[in-house]
Amino acid sequence: IPVGQRAEPALSKESLIKRAGCLVTDSTQTFLSQTTYALIESLTDYTKAVHTLVSLYKQYASLMNKINSSEESAIWQVIIGARVQMKKLQDEYLKYEANWMRAVSISEMAAEAAYLAGADQASVTVRNHIQLVQTQINETRELALKAEALLASVQSEEIKKALTEDKNTPPGEGSPESSMSDKEMPEAYLRED
Amino acid sequence: IPVGQRAEPALSKESLIKRAGCLVTDSTQTFLSQTTYALIESLTDYTKAVHTLVSLYKQYASLMNKINSSEESAIWQVIIGARVQMKKLQDEYLKYEANWMRAVSISEMAAEAAYLAGADQASVTVRNHIQLVQTQINETRELALKAEALLASVQSEEIKKALTEDKNTPPGEGSPESSMSDKEMPEAYLRED
């Protein structure tokens, strides 16, 4: 009865724990994949929104002296809309980032637990998976950071121009930038002048 | 096409993460169950071994003045064998205890991740499961601690008797307790005299 003998050890406490440990690594890998996918997608959407805002600022800058105040106001409405959209996408990616970081932690823990339970191969697989997604996320994050840096430089240009313009126009009639509250404008940009 | 409309949101990033979070809680629950089962079984085996040793010590004490040195030596061989067995089972339960503690940590993390992923019910279920197994393990541990306390008291009695006996017998011919190394005898018992 060699078949029965071979099946017996599969029911030992040790092998049951090992199997359960593998189940955990399998599920944490699915969780890690889904959260990585969601974070990459949402971070990419956010990056696109930042670039949209950059190009709107640039268009506005190129038109600034060629349009009347109502046209300017219309462009600013579009810019404000784009800022709101960017903020919304930022909140979304931050939510997915929290999920992703949790998934990384739980995967690390699953790798340790699997190793302790004797499931060495499953442990190694999870560790490789973690490294892979960390690389993917870092690359995606870099693109977002570049877009943010571009936006910051365009906005600071904008503010400089607006301040120069403000000196030449009477107060109250000023450019629509003055309608932006301090809250909307990061401190770093205000310090630029 | 209301069926298609209902199926659509199930494929959103959010619902995929939620599902993956539930997979993680499911698997950590299996892992927690298996490690709990293994720990309870191994801890119970250890407790039995401690009680076996206690009863051997008691038998030895009751026979001590009625047997010759070769009979005494034979009993001591049995006691030493029982001590080795107890130590083996202790090592085993300590191994399963490490697995179990890891399973508790990973379950706690899975509960948090599930909650963050919007799988509130799964999160609550895991937390309840953790509490349940912690109660079970505490009860089993208490039985082991009681057995250990009993063994300690029996052993200290034994040592006292042996020391009294040693004064009455010439050195070298002493009771077999003198063959026990310091390593085998916990410090606490040595301090008893």
Side-chain angles (χ1 to χ4, degrees):
Chain A
I1 324 160
V3 177
Q5 282 176 331
R6 241 179 278 156
E8 192 101 38
L11 292 166
S12 71
K13 286 198 286 288
E14 217 152 315
S15 70
L16 287 171
I17 287 175
K18 189 173 160 178
R19 277 190 202 178
C22 288
L23 274 185
V24 173
T25 57
D26 285 355
S27 66
T28 56
Q29 289 209 77
T30 304
F31 190 49
L32 189 58
S33 295
Q34 294 294 1
T35 53
T36 301
Y37 169 75
L39 179 54
I40 287 175
E41 202 179 75
S42 60
L43 201 49
T44 306
D45 287 348
Y46 164 73
T47 306
K48 277 182 201 158
V50 176
H51 279 297
T52 300
L53 196 56
V54 167
S55 80
L56 284 172
Y57 271 119
K58 281 182 176 170
Q59 276 178 45
Y60 169 69
S62 70
L63 292 171
M64 202 152 70
N65 298 320
K66 298 164 199 158
I67 50 175
N68 63 36
S69 73
S70 81
E71 283 169 325
E72 217 181 302
S73 184
I75 293 178
W76 268 100
Q77 284 311 310
V78 175
I79 288 180
I80 288 166
R83 284 186 73 92
V84 169
Q85 176 64 4
M86 183 190 80
K87 186 77 187 69
K88 199 196 108 201
L89 292 170
Q90 188 181 38
D91 289 345
E92 203 169 293
Y93 101 69
L94 288 173
K95 192 187 74 185
Y96 289 124
E97 195 174 49
N99 274 317
W100 180 77
M101 289 194 295
R102 202 55 67 114
V104 169
S105 308
I106 203 166
S107 297
E108 280 169 350
M109 207 163 224
E112 279 175 48
Y115 181 78
L116 203 66
D120 306 26
Q121 193 49 52
S123 175
V124 169
T125 306
V126 172
R127 286 197 196 285
N128 289 343
H129 191 186
I130 294 169
Q131 281 195 330
L132 177 73
V133 301
Q134 276 173 334
T135 308
Q136 288 177 327
I137 294 298
N138 285 343
E139 283 166 4
T140 315
R141 262 183 191 150
E142 219 160 290
L143 295 175
L145 286 173
K146 275 183 191 164
E148 282 174 348
L150 195 61
L151 178 62
S153 80
V154 168
Q155 278 181 323
S156 84
E157 283 286 313
E158 206 47 51
I159 290 160
K160 271 187 210 162
K161 274 189 208 160
L163 289 170
T164 322
E165 204 183 51
D166 267 353
K167 284 169 197 160
N168 306 330
T169 50
E173 252 189 80
S175 68
E177 281 97 325
S178 56
S179 69
M180 284 174 76
S181 71
D182 284 359
K183 210 180 155 195
E184 273 181 294
M185 214 178 285
E187 267 201 324
Y189 310 149
L190 295 175
R191 270 192 242 107
E192 283 288 324
D193 50 8
Chain B
I1 324 163
V3 178
Q5 282 174 332
R6 241 179 278 157
E8 192 103 37
L11 292 166
S12 71
K13 285 198 286 289
E14 217 152 316
S15 70
L16 287 171
I17 287 176
K18 189 174 158 179
R19 277 190 202 179
C22 288
L23 275 184
V24 173
T25 57
D26 284 355
S27 67
T28 56
Q29 289 208 76
T30 304
F31 189 49
L32 190 58
S33 295
Q34 294 294 1
T35 52
T36 300
Y37 169 75
L39 180 53
I40 287 175
E41 200 179 77
S42 61
L43 201 50
T44 305
D45 287 348
Y46 164 73
T47 306
K48 277 181 201 159
V50 176
H51 280 297
T52 300
L53 195 57
V54 167
S55 80
L56 284 173
Y57 270 120
K58 282 183 175 170
Q59 276 178 46
Y60 169 69
S62 69
L63 292 170
M64 203 153 68
N65 298 320
K66 298 164 201 161
I67 51 175
N68 64 34
S69 73
S70 81
E71 285 170 324
E72 214 179 305
S73 184
I75 293 178
W76 269 100
Q77 284 310 310
V78 176
I79 288 179
I80 288 165
R83 285 186 71 93
V84 168
Q85 176 66 4
M86 184 190 79
K87 186 78 188 70
K88 200 194 108 203
L89 292 171
Q90 188 181 37
D91 289 346
E92 205 170 289
Y93 100 70
L94 288 173
K95 192 187 75 187
Y96 289 123
E97 194 175 50
N99 274 317
W100 180 77
M101 289 194 295
R102 202 55 68 114
V104 170
S105 309
I106 203 167
S107 298
E108 280 169 351
M109 207 164 223
E112 280 175 49
Y115 180 77
L116 203 66
D120 305 25
Q121 192 49 52
S123 176
V124 170
T125 306
V126 172
R127 285 197 198 286
N128 289 343
H129 191 186
I130 294 169
Q131 281 195 329
L132 177 73
V133 301
Q134 275 173 335
T135 307
Q136 288 177 327
I137 294 298
N138 285 343
E139 282 166 5
T140 315
R141 263 183 190 148
E142 218 159 291
L143 294 175
L145 286 173
K146 275 182 191 164
E148 282 174 348
L150 194 61
L151 178 63
S153 80
V154 167
Q155 278 181 323
S156 83
E157 282 287 312
E158 205 47 51
I159 290 159
K160 271 186 212 166
K161 275 188 209 161
L163 288 170
T164 321
E165 204 183 53
D166 268 354
K167 285 170 198 162
N168 307 330
T169 50
E173 251 189 80
S175 68
E177 281 98 322
S178 57
S179 69
M180 285 175 75
S181 72
D182 284 359
K183 210 178 154 194
E184 274 180 294
M185 214 178 286
E187 266 202 324
Y189 310 151
L190 295 173
R191 270 192 242 108
E192 283 289 323
D193 50 5

